[in-house]
């Protein structure tokens, strides 16, 4: 069911933060509180094979904040069954009205098969999973409305599914050009919430080095590479940690104005909400960057 108020609840700019998944709970709580105080519209986080479990992590962050929407970006459909996902989402949505967003995704074969599951036909698997969630029994108190859910979506078929079976799509490791294509597939109404990696660093050598460190894991995953090929990138762009052209397309680096322009490009292309992911040396949390960017990105 589409949620017409979801885009308004999330605001125009939020934060996507992978580092909170491996940070101590106390550090994650403090970071979430500061992100809320800075005025960002929502806090997204990922779920890796060695990070905090997504739904308990969401509960930790929701409990630490007062108003901030918290979104899984994404909760992996292969590692908990549909009944468990439905129960967890309802539990959080009832406890924190209007603040929990369930981002669901099919993840990637290397991350799924390595955990003893069998990754296959992700689109069909997602359809079946959503059917299971919708049919699942749940006898505890329900939230006022069904938990908002979005689907991790890159290709046109998953984007179509996110428009018909969810509130919209969450795209990751994408460009504004992909955002424009995604909006065309989604049409008007469904939420479109891309992630955008950002880095306050004006030295091209330093910025691209840190960007390549961030991008390496994703360039080893076929789903992302295939999506980039659809956007016109070629074999040479994927060697050596990524060509300058690819690095500059995926990571917005430079001063605050340069990052504002990239976020604006996503909005102009049809994004309702852009979740910025701060990159920092030594896998830091990048809160200093979020502090500097807040008055630039959240003004007006």
């Amino acid at each position: 069911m589409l949620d017409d108020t979801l885009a308004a609840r999330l605001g125009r700019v939020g934060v996507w933060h992978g580092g909170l998944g491996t940070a101590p709970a106390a550090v994650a709580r403090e970071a979430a509180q500061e992100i809320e105080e800075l005025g960002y519209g929502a806090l997204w986080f990922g779920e890796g094979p060695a990070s905090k479990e997504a739904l308990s992590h969401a509960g930790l962050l929701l409990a630490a904040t007062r108003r901030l929407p918290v979104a899984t970006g994404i909760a992996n459909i292969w590692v908990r069954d549909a009944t468990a996902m439905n129960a967890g989402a309802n539990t959080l949505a009832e406890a924190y009205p209007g603040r929990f967003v369930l981002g669901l995704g099919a993840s990637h074969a290397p991350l799924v098969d390595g955990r003893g599951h069998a990754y296959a036909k992700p689109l069909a698997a997602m359809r079946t999973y959503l059917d299971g969630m919708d049919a699942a029994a749940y006898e505890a108190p329900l939230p006022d409305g069904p938990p908002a859910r979005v689907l991790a979506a890159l290709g046109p078929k998953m984007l179509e599914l996110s428009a018909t079976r969810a509130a919209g799509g969450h795209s990751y490791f994408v460009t504004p050009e992909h955002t424009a294509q995604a909006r065309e597939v989604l049409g008007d109404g469904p939420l479109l919430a891309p992630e955008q990696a950002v880095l306050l660093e004006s030295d091209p050598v330093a910025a691209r080095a840190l960007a390549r460190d961030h991008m390496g894991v994703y360039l080893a995953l076929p789903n992302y590479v295939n999506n980039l090929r659809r956007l016109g990138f070629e074999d040479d762009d994927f060697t050596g940690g990524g060509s300058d052209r690819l690095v500059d397309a995926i990571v917005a680096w430079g001063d605050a104005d340069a990052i504002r322009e990239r976020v604006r490009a996503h909005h102009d292309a049809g994004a309702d909400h852009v979740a910025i992911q701060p990159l920092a040396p030594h896998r830091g949390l990048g809160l200093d960057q979020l502090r500097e960017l807040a008055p630039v990105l959240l003004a007006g």
Side-chain angles (χ1 to χ4, degrees):
M1 178 179 294
L2 299 182
D3 183 346
D4 293 335
T5 69
L6 182 56
R9 280 191 275 139
L10 297 181
R12 297 283 279 172
V13 180
V15 172
W16 199 105
H17 212 304
L20 300 184
T22 54
V27 172
R29 289 189 193 100
E30 291 179 3
Q33 289 164 359
E34 180 165 5
I35 288 166
E36 179 176 61
E37 290 167 2
L38 288 169
Y40 288 99
L43 175 57
W44 301 72
F45 62 87
E47 180 180 35
S51 69
K52 296 185 181 79
E53 188 276 327
L55 299 183
S56 55
H57 189 188
L60 183 155
L61 299 174
L62 286 161
T65 51
R66 294 176 296 165
R67 304 173 306 278
L68 186 70
V70 171
T72 57
I74 48 79
N76 187 338
I77 66 170
W78 302 96
V79 302
R80 60 186 70 77
D81 67 31
T83 298
M85 189 77 83
N86 181 68
N90 275 304
T91 300
L92 292 171
E94 190 267 332
Y96 302 97
R99 293 181 54 205
F100 176 62
V101 178
L102 178 65
L104 296 169
S107 191
H108 307 270
L111 305 182
V112 170
D113 295 343
R115 296 179 65 167
H117 306 281
Y119 183 94
K121 298 182 179 179
L123 183 66
M126 181 61 79
R127 286 198 187 101
T128 299
Y129 196 88
L130 295 174
D131 290 342
M133 286 188 67
D134 291 345
Y138 184 72
E139 296 181 355
L142 287 165
D144 290 337
R149 68 187 184 195
V150 298
L151 306 185
L154 295 176
K157 292 183 179 179
M158 193 67 82
L159 283 163
E160 289 171 0
L161 190 66
S162 72
T164 58
R165 298 293 304 277
H170 172 50
S171 51
Y172 186 91
F173 207 68
V174 295
T175 65
E177 291 74 20
H178 180 273
T179 295
Q181 294 176 13
R183 175 50 71 194
E184 185 173 352
V185 174
L186 288 172
D188 295 333
L191 180 83
L192 179 55
E195 170 270 350
Q196 174 63 62
V198 302
L199 174 59
L200 281 171
E201 174 56 72
S202 294
D203 179 353
V205 174
R208 288 174 177 146
L210 187 55
R212 288 186 172 98
D213 182 58
H214 163 72
M215 292 170 60
V217 65
Y218 303 110
L219 292 180
L221 297 172
N223 294 5
Y224 289 125
V225 172
N226 291 339
N227 186 59
L228 292 170
R229 290 187 189 279
R230 287 194 293 266
L231 294 170
F233 294 97
E234 301 174 343
D235 288 347
D236 289 347
D237 291 303
F238 306 123
T239 61
S243 67
D244 286 354
R245 178 173 83 112
L246 178 59
V247 168
D248 295 351
I250 292 295
V251 177
W253 57 267
D255 61 14
D257 288 337
I259 291 170
R260 177 178 57 189
E261 288 306 307
R262 179 68 63 86
V263 171
R264 179 179 295 166
H266 280 288
H267 284 142
D268 289 346
D272 299 292
H273 173 87
V274 180
I276 62 168
Q277 178 174 191
L279 306 186
H282 313 298
R283 307 294 181 178
L285 296 183
L287 295 177
D288 55 336
Q289 298 186 65
L290 295 179
R291 295 180 196 116
E292 184 172 342
L293 289 169
V296 177
L297 298 181
L298 305 177

Coordinates of all heavy atoms in Angstrom, one line a residue, residues 199 201 203-216 241 244 247 253 279:
L199 N 31.8 13.4 0.3 CA 33.1 13.5 0.9 C 33.5 15.0 0.8 O 33.7 15.5 -0.3 CB 34.1 12.6 0.2 CG 35.6 12.7 0.6 CD1 35.7 12.4 2.1 CD2 36.5 11.8 -0.2
E201 N 36.2 16.9 0.6 CA 37.6 16.9 0.3 C 37.8 17.4 -1.1 O 37.3 16.9 -2.1 CB 38.1 15.4 0.4 CG 39.6 15.2 -0.1 CD 40.5 16.1 0.7 OE1 40.8 15.7 1.9 OE2 41.1 17.0 0.2
D203 N 40.9 18.0 -2.6 CA 42.1 17.5 -3.3 C 41.7 16.2 -4.1 O 41.3 15.2 -3.5 CB 43.1 17.1 -2.3 CG 44.4 16.5 -2.9 OD1 44.4 16.3 -4.1 OD2 45.4 16.3 -2.2
P204 N 41.7 16.3 -5.4 CA 41.3 15.2 -6.3 C 42.0 13.9 -5.9 O 41.3 12.8 -5.9 CB 41.6 15.6 -7.7 CG 41.7 17.1 -7.6 CD 42.2 17.4 -6.3
V205 N 43.2 13.9 -5.7 CA 44.0 12.6 -5.4 C 43.5 12.0 -4.1 O 43.2 10.8 -4.0 CB 45.5 12.9 -5.4 CG1 46.2 11.6 -4.9 CG2 46.0 13.4 -6.7
A206 N 43.4 12.8 -3.1 CA 42.9 12.3 -1.8 C 41.5 11.9 -1.8 O 41.1 10.8 -1.3 CB 43.1 13.4 -0.7
A207 N 40.7 12.7 -2.5 CA 39.2 12.3 -2.6 C 39.0 11.0 -3.3 O 38.3 10.2 -2.9 CB 38.5 13.5 -3.2
R208 N 39.7 10.9 -4.4 CA 39.4 9.7 -5.2 C 40.0 8.4 -4.6 O 39.5 7.3 -4.7 CB 40.0 9.9 -6.6 CG 39.2 10.8 -7.5 CD 39.8 11.1 -8.8 NE 38.9 12.0 -9.6 CZ 39.4 12.9 -10.4 NH1 40.7 13.1 -10.6 NH2 38.6 13.7 -11.1
A209 N 41.1 8.6 -3.8 CA 41.7 7.5 -3.1 C 40.7 6.9 -2.1 O 40.5 5.7 -1.9 CB 43.0 7.8 -2.5
L210 N 40.1 7.8 -1.3 CA 39.1 7.4 -0.3 C 37.9 6.9 -0.9 O 37.3 5.9 -0.5 CB 38.8 8.6 0.6 CG 37.9 8.3 1.8 CD1 38.5 7.2 2.7 CD2 37.8 9.5 2.7
A211 N 37.5 7.5 -2.0 CA 36.3 7.0 -2.8 C 36.5 5.6 -3.3 O 35.6 4.7 -3.2 CB 36.0 8.0 -3.9
R212 N 37.7 5.3 -3.8 CA 38.0 4.0 -4.3 C 38.0 2.9 -3.2 O 37.5 1.8 -3.3 CB 39.3 3.9 -5.1 CG 39.2 4.6 -6.4 CD 40.5 4.5 -7.3 NE 40.3 5.0 -8.6 CZ 40.6 6.2 -9.0 NH1 41.3 7.0 -8.1 NH2 40.4 6.6 -10.2
D213 N 38.5 3.3 -2.0 CA 38.4 2.5 -0.9 C 37.0 2.1 -0.5 O 36.7 0.9 -0.2 CB 39.1 3.1 0.3 CG 39.2 2.2 1.5 OD1 39.7 1.1 1.5 OD2 38.6 2.6 2.6
H214 N 36.1 3.1 -0.6 CA 34.7 2.8 -0.3 C 34.1 2.0 -1.4 O 33.2 1.1 -1.1 CB 34.0 4.2 -0.3 CG 32.5 4.1 -0.4 ND1 31.7 3.6 0.6 CD2 31.7 4.4 -1.4 CE1 30.4 3.6 0.2 NE2 30.4 4.1 -1.0
M215 N 34.4 2.2 -2.7 CA 33.7 1.6 -3.8 C 34.1 0.1 -4.0 O 33.4 -0.6 -4.7 CB 34.0 2.4 -5.1 CG 33.3 3.8 -5.0 SD 33.8 4.9 -6.4 CE 33.3 3.9 -7.8
G216 N 35.3 -0.3 -3.5 CA 35.9 -1.6 -3.9 C 34.9 -2.7 -3.6 O 34.8 -3.6 -4.5
G241 N 40.1 -0.1 -9.3 CA 39.3 0.5 -8.2 C 38.3 1.5 -8.8 O 37.5 2.1 -8.0
D244 N 38.4 7.4 -13.0 CA 38.0 8.7 -12.5 C 36.6 9.1 -12.8 O 35.9 9.6 -12.0 CB 39.0 9.8 -13.0 CG 40.4 9.8 -12.4 OD1 40.6 9.0 -11.4 OD2 41.2 10.5 -12.9
V247 N 34.4 7.1 -10.5 CA 34.5 7.5 -9.1 C 33.7 8.9 -8.9 O 33.0 9.1 -7.9 CB 36.0 7.7 -8.7 CG1 36.1 8.5 -7.4 CG2 36.6 6.4 -8.6
W253 N 32.3 14.6 -4.3 CA 33.4 15.1 -3.4 C 33.7 16.6 -3.8 O 33.3 17.1 -4.8 CB 34.7 14.3 -3.5 CG 35.3 14.1 -4.9 CD1 35.0 13.1 -5.8 CD2 36.2 15.0 -5.6 NE1 35.7 13.3 -7.0 CE2 36.4 14.5 -6.9 CE3 36.8 16.2 -5.2 CZ2 37.3 15.1 -7.8 CZ3 37.7 16.8 -6.1 CH2 37.9 16.3 -7.4
L279 N 31.7 9.7 3.8 CA 32.9 8.9 3.8 C 33.9 9.6 4.6 O 34.1 10.8 4.6 CB 33.4 8.7 2.4 CG 32.4 8.2 1.3 CD1 33.1 7.9 0.0 CD2 31.7 6.9 1.8

